[in-house]
């Protein structure tokens, strides 16, 4: 199965075409150059180099450490509690029909 996809300006993928039996025959010179380039570029994109793998591992461990540190900070210092009147009462500040702060006694 072959699927042709195009990315728009927001990198959203759009399916252009689906082929049940894609052909990699290279009967003409143009076929050989086009199809070889497609295969080469695809493999270049999906097969990272050793250096890219090292960078990915380094970034992954850095992200994990940052998340662990953030979680530890949250456990150490809980957020201060707010009085219900300062947030609009139990209904929240923007709920229709909720009393305003000056209406709450």
């Amino acid at each position: 199965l072959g699927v042709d996809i195009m990315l728009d300006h927001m990198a959203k993928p759009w399916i252009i075409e689906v082929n049940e039996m894609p052909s990699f025959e290279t009967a003409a010179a143009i076929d050989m150059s086009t199809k070889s380039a497609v295969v080469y570029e695809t493999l270049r994109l999906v097969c990272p180099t050793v250096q890219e793998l090292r960078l990915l591992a380094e970034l992954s461990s850095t992200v994990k450490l940052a998340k662990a540190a953030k979680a530890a900070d949250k456990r150490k210092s809980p957020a201060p509690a707010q009085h219900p009147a300062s947030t609009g009462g139990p209904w929240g500040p923007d709920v229709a029909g909720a009393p305003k702060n000056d209406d709450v006694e």
Side-chain angles (χ1 to χ4, degrees):
L1 191 65
V3 180
D4 295 343
I5 298 172
M6 183 179 284
L7 301 178
D8 67 13
H9 68 286
M10 298 294 290
K12 180 179 178 180
W14 293 87
I15 295 177
I16 303 300
E17 172 180 56
V18 178
N19 299 305
E20 185 177 349
M21 301 279 293
S23 169
F24 281 97
E25 286 185 33
T26 56
I30 188 76
D31 285 339
M32 180 62 145
S33 78
T34 303
K35 292 175 182 180
S36 295
V38 167
V39 170
Y40 173 79
E41 290 298 322
T42 301
L43 291 174
R44 196 171 70 80
L45 288 171
V46 298
C47 298
T49 64
V50 172
Q51 183 180 7
E52 289 169 333
L53 288 172
R54 286 182 186 143
L55 286 171
L56 286 170
E58 188 177 313
L59 285 172
S60 178
S61 64
T62 301
V63 168
K64 286 178 186 175
L65 288 173
K67 285 182 179 179
K70 188 174 182 179
D73 286 346
K74 281 186 177 181
R75 286 191 300 267
K76 287 180 185 176
S77 57
Q82 291 185 330
H83 188 274
S86 67
T87 60
W91 301 277
D94 299 323
V95 177
K100 304 296 179 214
N101 285 342
D102 5 16
D103 297 337
V104 177
E105 293 182 23

